[in-house]
């Protein structure tokens, strides 16, 4: 909850907008506050993250900066937070840099003022974390894993991995065909759950 300073402090001369600006302008993270009319204030880290200078965001709608396919998601989370009186929302959302590059971000959003009858419109605060490089690394790792899995799957050999309790954690297609089951039906099970005891003992002895 945002608390404004009492009137007898040195901050009493500040307007609501100036007070927001004092808090957020030099925030080290990308943060914004906006209402139904547009931006109230935003941190330097926010407009620099998107490749803008401060003046370029004046009179811009926040939705102009969001990837088109994610605008409904953005609006839905705002409405949910307002409806639930400041419910904190966390979700993935893509933003557009000035030159068109898409940033993959994690958003922490909440409304305030929505339970105060003296405030005609709710304010929305959002902290935005750029996860683009993290996503690129994850995607690269996934591509490598998919390539490895595809290579193993098309091998003629029966290939599998087990954990320290002899449960299958990976099987290729050839082994799944051997058991006459799908991979999902084999994962997490040991040999005793997949074959008769005599054959299971043979497999166990070869595992140790």
């Amino acid at each position: 909850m945002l608390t404004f300073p009492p009137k007898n402090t040195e901050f009493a001369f500040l307007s609501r907008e100036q007070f927001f600006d004092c808090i957020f302008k030099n925030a080290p993270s990308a943060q914004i506050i906006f209402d139904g009319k547009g931006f109230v204030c935003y941190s330097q880290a926010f407009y620099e993250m998107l490749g803008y200078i401060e003046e370029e965001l004046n009179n811009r709608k926040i939705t102009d900066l969001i990837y088109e396919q994610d605008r409904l998601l953005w609006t839905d989370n705002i409405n949910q937070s307002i409806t639930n009186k400041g419910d904190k929302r966390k979700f993935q959302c893509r933003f557009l840099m000035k030159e068109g590059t898409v940033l993959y971000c994690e958003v922490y959003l909440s409304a305030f003022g929505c339970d105060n009858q003296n405030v005609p419109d709710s304010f929305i605060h959002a902290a935005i974390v750029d996860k683009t490089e993290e996503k690129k690394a994850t995607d690269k790792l996934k591509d490598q894993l998919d390539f490895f899995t595809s290579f193993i799957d098309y091998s003629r050999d029966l290939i599998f991995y087990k954990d320290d309790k002899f449960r299958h954690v990976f099987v290729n297609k050839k082994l799944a065909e051997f058991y006459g089951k799908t991979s999902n039906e084999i994962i997490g099970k040991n040999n005793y759950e997949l074959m008769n005891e005599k054959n299971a003992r043979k497999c166990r002895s070869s595992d140790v």
Side-chain angles (χ1 to χ4, degrees):
M1 180 178 179
L2 185 62
T3 303
F4 289 93
K7 293 182 178 181
N8 61 348
T9 71
E10 60 183 311
F11 297 104
F13 68 92
L14 294 177
S15 67
R16 181 186 298 260
E17 289 78 12
Q18 289 172 320
F19 186 63
F20 282 158
D21 189 60
C22 286
I23 296 174
F24 287 96
K25 186 171 184 179
N26 297 315
S29 58
Q31 299 189 50
I32 56 176
I33 290 181
F34 57 97
D35 59 16
K37 298 176 183 179
F39 284 113
V40 173
C41 64
Y42 36 78
S43 68
Q44 180 177 346
F46 174 70
Y47 60 77
E48 287 184 347
M49 180 182 75
L50 299 180
Y52 288 92
I53 61 174
E54 184 174 5
E55 292 75 16
E56 289 176 316
L57 290 187
N58 292 338
N59 302 317
R60 292 292 300 271
K61 296 179 180 178
I62 179 62
T63 49
D64 293 340
L65 308 176
I66 296 173
Y67 191 65
E68 185 175 358
Q69 283 81 351
D70 287 353
R71 291 172 186 171
L72 181 59
L73 170 70
W74 176 266
T75 303
D76 284 346
N77 275 279
I78 290 174
N79 291 337
Q80 286 288 331
S81 185
I82 294 174
T83 301
N84 294 298
K85 298 187 181 300
D87 179 41
K88 294 178 176 61
R89 314 289 298 178
K90 176 184 175 182
F91 57 98
Q92 307 291 323
C93 186
R94 290 167 288 184
F95 283 76
L96 292 171
M97 294 188 68
K98 181 181 178 181
E99 37 79 19
T101 299
V102 177
L103 295 183
Y104 293 82
C105 299
E106 193 165 76
V107 179
Y108 301 82
L109 179 149
S110 63
F112 59 96
C114 45
D115 56 353
N116 185 348
Q117 295 181 353
N118 295 322
V119 180
D121 295 314
S122 297
F123 291 97
I124 309 296
H125 169 252
I128 302 157
V129 182
D130 182 7
K131 296 284 187 176
T132 305
E133 292 305 316
E134 182 179 315
K135 184 179 186 305
K136 286 180 180 178
T138 301
D139 288 347
K140 183 177 180 180
L141 181 61
K142 182 179 181 301
D143 289 342
Q144 293 173 340
L145 181 61
D146 288 345
F147 175 78
F148 173 76
T149 303
S150 297
F151 178 78
I152 295 296
D153 266 343
Y154 287 100
S155 171
R156 295 181 179 181
D157 298 322
L158 304 179
I159 301 176
F160 59 89
Y161 298 106
K162 294 179 181 178
D163 62 16
D164 59 354
K165 295 183 179 179
F166 304 102
R167 296 173 299 197
H168 293 82
V169 295
F170 172 82
V171 298
N172 69 346
K173 287 183 179 180
K174 201 70 177 177
L175 186 67
E177 290 172 1
F178 171 79
Y179 280 121
K181 299 178 181 295
T182 66
S183 297
N184 288 336
E185 291 173 323
I186 299 171
I187 300 300
K189 295 180 180 178
N190 60 43
N191 292 108
Y192 286 94
E193 298 172 290
L194 297 168
M195 57 180 67
N196 62 55
E197 186 174 352
K198 180 180 178 181
N199 289 333
R201 280 201 303 270
K202 291 180 180 179
C203 290
R204 178 64 59 85
S205 64
S206 66
D207 287 340
V208 296

